[in-house]
Amino acid sequence: MKHFLSALFALTLFISCTSSDKNLNTPPKDYSAENDKEIIDYLAKNNLTAQKTASGLYYIITEPGTGKQPTATSSVTVAYKGYLTNKKTFDESVNGATFPLNRVIAGWTEGIPLFKEGGNGVLLIPAHLAYGSDSVSTIPAGSVLIFDVKLISVN
């Protein structure tokens, strides 16, 4: 009985280790192709025209602004509304939120410097520039994130 319990414990440990090893070695799912199609469909459905960067970020500059232009390491204050392509809002800051651009999702680090102070527009961010294969709060894994943004200030 003692040997049986030892063998059972060793087997359980082996299975749990190999299971977690599989999760660690499994690459995250690449949503690039489906995100690109989702963004193109969203733009067509809403009669919007956007530019696309080499990284896959889509953006629409409604008003470029006239003030200072941030860099990827600037601290900025931005009013925004974040939502999914189904128009479900997941976050909003009407009066503005202040943060360093090197501490946010890659889509914001790349996208906000496209505007000058006073500028506004839309960022359409594929999953690989946002949360990738992870679900975060009410945002499902692999989601395209859309942000209406207004750059209030470069701090």
Side-chain angles (χ1 to χ4, degrees):
M1 182 70 166
K2 185 175 173 183
H3 294 290
F4 174 74
L5 291 176
S6 296
L8 183 60
F9 175 74
L11 180 62
T12 304
L13 183 60
F14 173 76
I15 290 171
S16 63
C17 287
T18 56
S19 296
S20 63
D21 286 348
K22 285 181 186 176
N23 292 337
L24 292 175
N25 294 328
T26 303
K29 181 176 177 186
D30 182 5
Y31 292 94
S32 298
E34 62 193 79
N35 283 175
D36 204 55
K37 181 182 179 336
E38 186 177 349
I39 291 170
I40 290 168
D41 290 348
Y42 178 87
L43 292 169
K45 180 180 176 184
N46 292 284
N47 199 27
L48 299 170
T49 303
Q51 302 295 315
K52 182 181 180 184
T53 68
S55 71
L57 172 72
Y58 285 81
Y59 65 96
I60 301 166
I61 297 179
T62 307
E63 171 61 46
T66 57
K68 291 190 288 186
Q69 191 161 10
T71 66
T73 58
S74 296
S75 176
V76 296
T77 300
V78 178
Y80 66 90
K81 177 180 178 183
Y83 50 98
L84 305 174
T85 56
N86 65 7
K87 308 271 184 158
K88 181 180 177 191
T89 300
F90 57 82
D91 195 12
E92 186 169 14
S93 178
V94 177
N95 297 320
T98 301
F99 46 82
L101 286 175
N102 60 356
R103 303 229 186 228
V104 293
I105 60 173
W108 273 58
T109 303
E110 180 182 356
I112 297 299
L114 298 170
F115 302 92
K116 293 180 180 175
E117 287 177 325
N120 65 68
V122 181
L123 300 175
L124 299 103
I125 305 173
H128 71 275
L129 297 174
Y131 300 113
S133 297
D134 296 326
S135 294
V136 176
S137 185
T138 60
I139 302 170
S143 291
V144 170
L145 307 183
I146 303 172
F147 290 93
D148 295 333
V149 297
K150 178 178 177 90
L151 179 56
I152 297 170
S153 65
V154 178
N155 308 315

